[in-house]
């Protein structure tokens, strides 16, 4: 038996509990991992908040989608012995990142081997647990808007999980980055080679001041009308504006709408393929994960109160 987080009802973080459940044995093409850290993402809170419906038949809900850990058992492969992940065979003792790994708020988890990539040894467990959800989303955003060398890109909500990845990847591609954030995060963003600006009234003028040559692309990670209003004025080509939150408005205005909502582009293939690139960049020291808070698994409610404030710098991790 091992500890798992469950939501026993729809509501706020007070519905979260720790239960003890058997992790089970890995079947063909699966592996069991002992989880060392689980990444916390805003969507994990939306799952039980009711934002995606309140079907009582789905309760209790398991939470989480990404983790880092050690392989403790491997099931039989479809062909030959063992299980195979995107980077090759998976073996007991491997240090891995698991994504997509539903139910990763747990001490142990059985996942398809296809969800496992080797953990870069430049990242500690908490950092490794936070590489993928934000990383693949940022990768998809940059690919969808074609951000590359010579571009100036405006990133709204740049100091959060997805933003920190998007800033680093855009800078790595040779783009100049204008990054919106609260003033408390401006030094942090400067260290990532972005030009920070405060969001809120007057944003358009502040961006124009720091980007007198214009803005080629804009990424909305904030979901505010302000982010899209400013992007529409500054970016001449609507296909170079993308949102991961303003689904309805985005679909009505001809911009790129990315994610799992109806009508949005889930980017499944590009996101799956990005995992190995993200791990490689992290291994090479070209991509960092910034964990601002860790919480013991048993304090998951506190972790969720923090993520739901909507002002996380970088990532939050749960430690079983
Ligand atoms: N569609 C998809 O595929 C997809 C994938 C991943 C995430 N998401 C969603 O995208 C959002 C961002 O994810 P995340 O992991 O980066 O969240 P996060 O780590 O909680 O970061 C949220 C960021 O939003 C910023 N922010 C808050 N209010 C703002 C405002 N009015 N204007 C501009 N920025 C503001 C905060 O900046 P300051 O602290 O500097 O104020 C903070 O850095 C979440 O809602 C998440 O569910 C969607």
């Amino acid at each position: 038996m091992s500890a798992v987080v469950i939501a026993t009802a729809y509501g706020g973080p007070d519905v979260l509990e720790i239960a003890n459940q058997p992790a089970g044995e890995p079947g063909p093409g699966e592996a069991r991992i002992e989880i060392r850290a689980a990444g916390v993402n805003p969507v994990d809170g939306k799952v039980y908040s009711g934002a995606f419906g309140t079907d009582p038949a789905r309760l209790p809900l398991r939470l989480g989608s990404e983790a880092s850990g050690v392989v403790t058992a491997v099931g039989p492969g479809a062909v030959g012995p063992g299980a195979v992940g995107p980077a090759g065979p998976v073996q007991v003792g491997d240090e891995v990142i698991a994504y997509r790994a539903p139910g990763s708020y747990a001490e142990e988890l059985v996942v398809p081997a296809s969800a496992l990539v080797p953990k870069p040894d430049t990242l500690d467990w908490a950092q490794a647990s936070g590489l993928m959800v934000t990383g693949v989303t940022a990768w998809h955003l940059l690919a969808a808007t074609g951000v590359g060398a010579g571009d100036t890109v405006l990133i709204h909500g740049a100091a959060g999980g997805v933003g920190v990845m998007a800033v680093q990847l855009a800078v790595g591609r040779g783009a100049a980055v204008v990054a919106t954030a609260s003033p408390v995060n401006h030094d942090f963003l400067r260290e990532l080679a972005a030009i920070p600006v405060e969001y809120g009234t007057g944003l358009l003028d502040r961006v124009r001041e720091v980007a007198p040559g214009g803005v080629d692309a804009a990424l909305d990670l904030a979901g505010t009308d302000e982010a899209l209003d400013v992007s529409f004025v500054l970016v001449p080509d609507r296909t170079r504006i993308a949102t991961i939150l303003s689904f309805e408005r985005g679909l009505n205005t001809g911009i790129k709408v990315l994610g799992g909502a109806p009508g949005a582009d889930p980017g499944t293939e590009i996101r799956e393929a990005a995992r190995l690139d993200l791990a490689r960049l992290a291994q090479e020291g070209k991509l960092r994960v910034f964990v601002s808070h860790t919480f013991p698994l048993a304090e998951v409610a506190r972790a969720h109160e923090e993520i739901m404030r909507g002002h996380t710098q970088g990532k939050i991790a749960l430690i079983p």
Side-chain angles (χ1 to χ4, degrees):
M1 301 291 270
S2 61
V4 303
V5 172
I6 54 170
T8 54
Y10 292 98
D14 55 315
V15 305
L16 301 179
E17 290 180 11
I18 300 288
N20 281 299
Q21 296 180 2
E25 292 302 318
E30 292 182 335
R32 188 176 63 222
I33 59 172
E34 183 183 282
I35 293 175
R36 297 294 171 83
V40 176
N41 292 287
V43 71
D44 302 342
K46 296 175 191 175
V47 164
Y48 65 87
S49 72
F52 302 145
T54 55
D55 180 358
R58 295 183 59 229
L59 296 172
L61 291 160
R62 292 279 301 266
L63 300 181
S65 62
E66 62 177 344
S68 59
V70 179
V71 176
T72 54
V74 176
V79 180
V84 179
V90 172
Q91 293 171 358
V92 171
D94 284 356
E95 297 188 348
V96 293
I97 295 176
Y99 173 73
R100 305 169 185 240
S104 64
Y105 286 14
E107 286 178 335
E108 290 185 288
L109 190 67
V110 171
V111 292
S114 60
L116 300 178
V117 300
K119 180 183 93 63
D121 49 28
T122 48
L123 302 181
D124 65 24
W125 294 111
Q127 291 164 340
S129 77
L131 176 65
M132 289 300 171
V133 169
T134 55
V136 302
T137 306
W139 193 280
H140 190 196
L141 281 157
L142 296 178
T145 52
V147 171
D151 282 332
T152 297
V153 56
L154 172 61
I155 301 180
H156 300 276
V162 179
V164 167
M165 288 289 152
V167 168
Q168 293 180 89
L169 293 171
V171 168
R173 288 173 178 224
V177 176
V178 178
T180 82
S182 298
V184 68
N185 287 319
H186 285 195
D187 283 345
F188 171 62
L189 288 167
R190 277 189 203 98
E191 283 168 26
L192 299 179
I195 303 166
V197 289
E198 186 175 1
Y199 56 77
T201 307
L203 174 62
L204 179 61
D205 291 336
R206 287 193 290 281
V207 176
R208 280 186 165 139
E209 198 178 322
V210 299
V215 175
D216 303 293
L219 313 180
D220 166 32
L221 324 179
T224 58
D225 279 336
E226 173 189 73
L228 288 189
D229 290 343
V230 167
S231 301
F232 289 152
V233 174
L234 292 171
V235 180
D237 178 354
R238 291 239 167 152
T239 68
R240 302 201 68 197
I241 302 172
T243 184
I244 56 171
L245 280 169
S246 287
F247 296 112
E248 194 178 336
R249 190 172 175 205
L251 289 169
N252 289 331
T253 49
I255 65 171
K256 299 284 175 74
V257 183
L258 312 181
D265 171 11
T268 309
E269 280 178 25
I270 194 167
R271 292 186 187 212
E272 296 285 296
R275 293 174 304 165
L276 288 178
D277 290 306
L278 293 163
R280 176 182 49 78
L281 288 171
Q283 184 64 49
E284 292 170 353
K286 294 175 180 161
L287 187 62
R288 295 162 68 192
V289 181
F290 296 86
V291 177
S292 55
H293 304 277
T294 61
F295 295 88
L297 191 68
E299 294 180 23
V300 58
R302 278 183 57 215
H304 272 223
E305 282 160 13
E306 185 62 34
I307 195 87
M308 286 172 182
R309 283 194 318 114
H311 294 285
T312 302
Q313 185 192 82
K315 291 289 301 182
I316 294 175
L318 287 172
I319 311 297

